[in-house]
Amino acid sequence: MKPVPSWPPMPPGGAPVAQPRRRSASQVALWWLMGVIGMLFGLMLVAYVMRMSLGDWRPLPPVNALWVNTGLLAAACIVMQSSASQARHGELRRSRREWGASGVLALGFIVGQVWVWHDLTMRRYGVSGNPANSFFFLLTGLHALHLLGGMVAWALLASHRMSHAARAQRLSLTAQYWHFLFVLWVVLFAAIVNLTPEIAQRLCGTGA
């Protein structure tokens, strides 16, 4: 009678061969989503730099509230990651508290962005006043729209009951999405604050 072959297969040394860990379909789907969003904003930033290099660009005045909003979003991501970590270790009550706090912080970021848009409009820096104004509202508004999508995922996890393992996995995936949005915001914020028409002209090869 032939011996039943083992699985994983046994190499000549006798130790089993470790099989590669498969990624879940939801993880792969999240990577695809973040890739598509990243390419969209990458193309918009290229257009932003090219449009800035033209002579009719009038930069917006400094908006100090954006620093506060950035801090709120960073805090939301930190607390959200802590919540996912607590869920993995079985601390569900603490995880729920931190998940709720992260949503409040994220909502504070969105409210802060709305306040910035209102303030600029009241100071006559509306969306149609200048190409710089239009790009600012477009970039920050589209980012806020993706954040609202993240808030929907946050709300579903805050209200639905599920198994411990499923909850921990979904918390982790949602936290990854929010971390991605934070990194994306840092890139946008850096472009808004640091890029100048002179730098854009050098990047585009149109400077003197």
Side-chain angles (χ1 to χ4, degrees):
M1 184 175 180
K2 295 182 178 180
V4 178
S6 63
W7 187 261
M10 299 287 287
V17 177
Q19 297 301 303
R21 183 181 178 184
R22 292 185 178 181
R23 298 293 181 181
S24 65
S26 54
Q27 179 69 75
V28 175
L30 177 62
W31 285 343
W32 274 100
L33 175 64
M34 292 189 298
V36 171
I37 295 173
M39 287 189 290
L40 170 65
F41 277 93
L43 291 173
M44 294 181 66
L45 282 174
V46 170
Y48 177 75
V49 173
M50 294 177 65
R51 187 63 184 84
M52 184 185 290
S53 66
L54 301 181
D56 60 343
W57 188 272
R58 298 293 180 271
L60 287 168
V63 185
N64 295 327
L66 291 179
W67 290 96
V68 177
N69 295 350
T70 302
L72 288 172
L73 187 56
C77 290
I78 293 171
V79 178
M80 194 171 291
Q81 182 60 43
S82 176
S83 174
S85 177
Q86 295 299 329
R88 285 195 301 270
H89 291 86
E91 298 287 343
L92 297 184
R93 182 173 297 180
R94 181 176 176 183
S95 175
R96 287 182 180 276
R97 288 200 304 266
E98 292 183 345
W99 193 254
S102 68
V104 172
L105 290 167
L107 185 61
F109 173 85
I110 296 174
V111 171
Q113 295 293 79
V114 172
W115 184 89
V116 168
W117 300 332
H118 175 74
D119 180 62
L120 287 173
T121 302
M122 292 296 98
R123 293 161 61 187
R124 301 186 183 278
Y125 292 100
V127 64
S128 60
N130 183 270
N133 305 9
S134 301
F135 265 99
F136 176 85
F137 281 91
L138 175 64
L139 292 172
T140 58
L142 191 58
H143 180 264
L145 185 62
H146 285 87
L147 275 172
L148 287 175
M151 287 297 299
V152 172
W154 171 87
L156 290 175
L157 280 170
S159 58
H160 285 191
R161 294 186 177 275
M162 60 191 72
S163 67
H164 294 177
R167 183 175 183 82
Q169 181 190 27
R170 295 186 184 184
L171 286 176
S172 178
L173 291 173
T174 306
Q176 289 178 46
Y177 178 71
W178 279 89
H179 298 338
F180 166 74
L181 290 180
F182 173 69
V183 172
L184 184 59
W185 169 251
V186 170
V187 173
L188 294 177
F189 186 38
I192 292 170
V193 172
N194 296 320
L195 277 180
T196 64
E198 293 75 22
I199 296 176
Q201 289 169 6
R202 287 198 294 269
L203 292 174
C204 298
T206 59

